Amino acid sequence: MILPKKLTARLLFVFLTTFPFASAQNGATDALPPIKKIIEKALARAEWQKKLEISRTSVAELIKVTERLDDEGSTESKEEIVFRESLHDGHYFHEKILVNGRKLTEREANDEKARKEKFLREIERNRGNKSYKPKNDRVEFNRELVERYQAKLAGRETVHGREAYVIEFEPRYGKLPVRRRMDYALNKSNGRVWIDSEDYGIARVEFHLMEPVRLWYGILGNVTVADGLVETSRNEEGFWLPREMKIYMDGRILFTSLHHRSLRRWRYPDEGESLSVGH
């Protein structure tokens, strides 16, 4: 969204660190470690990866397919955009390279180039500023964010052949912080997160918007439904990387419907997968 689209993109890595902890109510989880221990180890692992990302310059291909739906849920139109995802001083940038199978026009390519140059200037200007965050509503693991939630340990499951702890989360009671538009959605979302039992990386995230989110008191529109599933996997370096994200959304901005579903897939050339367009 700018709220809605960013919501779809960036609820991706949100529910990890120090929740207010609750005990699972089911006896099958008695043999599991305490939820606080799992979360703290997951937090330490996330912080380790975040620090190493500062020195990484990896490039991936992100393929985003969006289907706009009619009232019956049938596809009205479909758009496919391919982005080059690059990492700069720990911050991600997505550069559009293909639209519905065609290369960008000269004007579109120049716009993307200017946007990237502006992004890199901001990164350089804020180098060393730990509080700096690019204006992209990207949601990251941190204590301030996940302290919005209460959680309980629901058991173990196998995800992509690896054992994972399943943690259910929902917003905690009381007034929750709102520092940016994204927070309105975060404060009304619940779901589950799967934490790898061997190295405590995030293997899967499932989320659901519990109640409508109003945009500027409802004047600009609202999001009534937002459901998503994010799948990740561990590479040879020990990094947990996004592989696939599925989103379903319903709502409106002004007089435009937001009824759509989207699929995002990542491909990584260092794992033997070639990108659609060279650098």
Side-chain angles (χ1 to χ4, degrees), residues 9-17 43 46-47 50-51 53-54 87-92 123 130-149 180 182-183 186 202:
R10 305 303 181 192
L11 286 175
L12 190 37
F13 297 125
V14 49
F15 312 106
L16 176 58
T17 51
L43 172 59
E47 291 175 341
K50 178 68 175 177
K51 289 179 180 178
E53 284 182 342
I54 298 298
L87 190 58
H88 306 271
D89 200 29
H91 302 294
Y92 288 89
I123 294 296
K130 294 183 179 180
S131 65
Y132 168 69
K133 293 182 180 180
K135 298 175 183 179
N136 59 13
D137 273 350
R138 185 182 181 90
V139 178
E140 300 178 351
F141 296 142
N142 60 64
R143 293 181 183 273
E144 180 276 329
L145 180 65
V146 297
E147 281 175 355
R148 304 165 191 267
Y149 304 97
R180 53 180 178 166
M182 172 64 74
D183 291 341
L186 298 178
I202 297 298

Side-chain angles (χ1 to χ4, degrees), residues 144 148 175-185 187:
E144 180 276 329
R148 304 165 191 267
K175 188 175 181 179
L176 300 177
V178 176
R179 298 185 176 89
R180 53 180 178 166
R181 287 174 296 179
M182 172 64 74
D183 291 341
Y184 291 104
N187 293 345

Side-chain angles (χ1 to χ4, degrees), residues 47-104:
E47 291 175 341
W48 168 81
Q49 178 162 325
K50 178 68 175 177
K51 289 179 180 178
L52 288 186
E53 284 182 342
I54 298 298
S55 61
R56 296 180 75 223
T57 56
S58 62
V59 176
E61 181 180 81
L62 169 60
I63 304 166
K64 178 184 176 183
V65 179
T66 302
E67 294 179 86
R68 299 198 177 278
L69 309 175
D70 60 22
D71 293 339
E72 283 71 45
S74 299
T75 301
E76 287 186 333
S77 63
K78 185 176 180 179
E79 179 183 63
E80 180 179 300
I81 302 178
V82 179
F83 299 88
R84 181 181 298 118
E85 180 183 81
S86 53
L87 190 58
H88 306 271
D89 200 29
H91 302 294
Y92 288 89
F93 182 80
H94 294 91
E95 180 183 2
K96 190 184 298 184
I97 54 178
L98 289 175
V99 179
N100 294 326
R102 68 166 177 82
K103 293 184 179 181
L104 303 189

Side-chain angles (χ1 to χ4, degrees), residues 184-185 187-189 208-214 223-226:
Y184 291 104
N187 293 345
K188 295 181 179 181
S189 295
H208 168 70
L209 188 66
M210 300 167 63
E211 58 183 271
V213 172
R214 301 170 68 198
V223 181
T224 56
V225 179

Side-chain angles (χ1 to χ4, degrees), residues 106-119:
E106 183 177 356
R107 180 176 179 178
E108 289 171 333
N110 288 336
D111 288 345
E112 287 299 291
K113 181 180 178 181
R115 192 170 64 87
K116 185 172 184 179
E117 288 174 348
K118 180 180 178 182
F119 174 85

Side-chain angles (χ1 to χ4, degrees), residues 3-58:
L3 173 64
K5 289 186 178 179
K6 295 281 176 82
L7 167 66
T8 66
R10 305 303 181 192
L11 286 175
L12 190 37
F13 297 125
V14 49
F15 312 106
L16 176 58
T17 51
T18 44
F19 303 96
F21 302 108
S23 300
Q25 298 300 312
N26 118 31
T29 64
D30 290 347
L32 295 173
I35 185 173
K36 185 173 182 178
K37 181 178 180 180
I38 296 172
I39 296 298
E40 288 299 329
K41 287 190 174 183
L43 172 59
R45 202 220 166 278
E47 291 175 341
W48 168 81
Q49 178 162 325
K50 178 68 175 177
K51 289 179 180 178
L52 288 186
E53 284 182 342
I54 298 298
S55 61
R56 296 180 75 223
T57 56
S58 62

